[in-house]
Amino acid sequence: TSDRSEFPTVGLRGSGTLTLRPFSNSANLQIGGVNTFVSESFLTTLAAAASTTGSQFQNIFIGNSTGNNAIALVDNLNITTPIFGTLNFAPITLQTASTFDAAEFAINTSTASLVINANQGISNLGNIVAAGGNVDIVTNQGSITSNPNSSIRTDSNNQSGGGVRIIAPNGSLTLGAIDTHSNAALVTGNGGNITLSTAGNISVGNLIAFATTNNNGNAGLVSFTSDNGTITFTGNTINLSANKG
């Protein structure tokens, strides 16, 4: 536990759960860049160590789900793996009982699944990429907003597209494009499911969840739920095509 850490750049190795928690329950946490609570280079070296040794953590938790620690990105967060590295790095969870502000910076987890859970709201999301991984973005008390020109992409050329689930039971959703398609040629790959649920309004851009016609996969299922609001489509493309269904 620490409010500001400089982790080693040689890559930790383990097989269980790695939890990086702040010492204080109220300190604001910065992620990405250098000399922050968790730097981009530290996460990249974790992925590299898993790729070269075959040993990796099963889950990585950053933040405290019960602490009042606002989390903010201060730079693009790109977690890269070697070209012949592990196919699926450990799922990454960013968590706080406070707020999460992405400041429109990009998050690229390579193939790792990503969870953002911030109880009081999630704002200014930029581009998110998790090729073949799942993306879950949840806030219990607030709303979720993103740059209208941004996208969430879980599409894959090697396997099924990952699912995208965005939930705000007491707020609203303002999102850009979502792309969960599968373009896998050598295996059957399905488009990832897209689930949006909120009490208020939903605004979303292009929706792409197709499965390429030569892999016999299924398109992703799309589900929107708004308890008391309206659903607005701001894009110009909805592609749910598939050879199978």
Side-chain angles (χ1 to χ4, degrees), residues 163-189:
V164 172
R165 191 176 72 101
I166 304 178
I167 310 293
N170 291 290
S172 61
L173 304 179
T174 304
L175 307 168
I178 301 176
D179 183 350
T180 66
H181 82 268
S182 173
N183 199 36
L186 301 179
V187 298
T188 298

Side-chain angles (χ1 to χ4, degrees), residues 113-176:
S113 292
L114 173 69
V115 176
I116 301 175
N117 193 329
N119 192 56
Q120 298 299 318
I122 297 169
S123 60
N124 302 313
L125 292 173
N127 292 328
I128 295 175
V129 176
N134 297 319
V135 171
D136 282 67
I137 303 173
V138 179
T139 178
N140 288 326
Q141 301 300 324
S143 296
I144 300 173
T145 66
S146 65
N147 181 319
N149 296 317
S150 67
S151 64
I152 298 173
R153 296 187 56 181
T154 60
D155 55 297
S156 176
N157 292 325
N158 302 308
Q159 57 186 329
S160 293
V164 172
R165 191 176 72 101
I166 304 178
I167 310 293
N170 291 290
S172 61
L173 304 179
T174 304
L175 307 168

Side-chain angles (χ1 to χ4, degrees), residues 185-211:
L186 301 179
V187 298
T188 298
N190 301 315
N193 296 336
I194 300 173
T195 302
L196 308 181
S197 180
T198 185
N201 297 333
I202 296 175
S203 175
V204 65
N206 293 335
L207 297 174
I208 303 173
F210 70 83

Side-chain angles (χ1 to χ4, degrees), residues 13 29 50-51 54-55 78 82 120 125 129 134 157-159 208 213 220-221 225 227:
R13 300 174 185 175
L29 305 180
S51 298
S55 173
N78 295 302
Q120 298 299 318
L125 292 173
V129 176
N134 297 319
N157 292 325
N158 302 308
Q159 57 186 329
I208 303 173
T213 57
L221 301 177
T225 301
D227 294 337

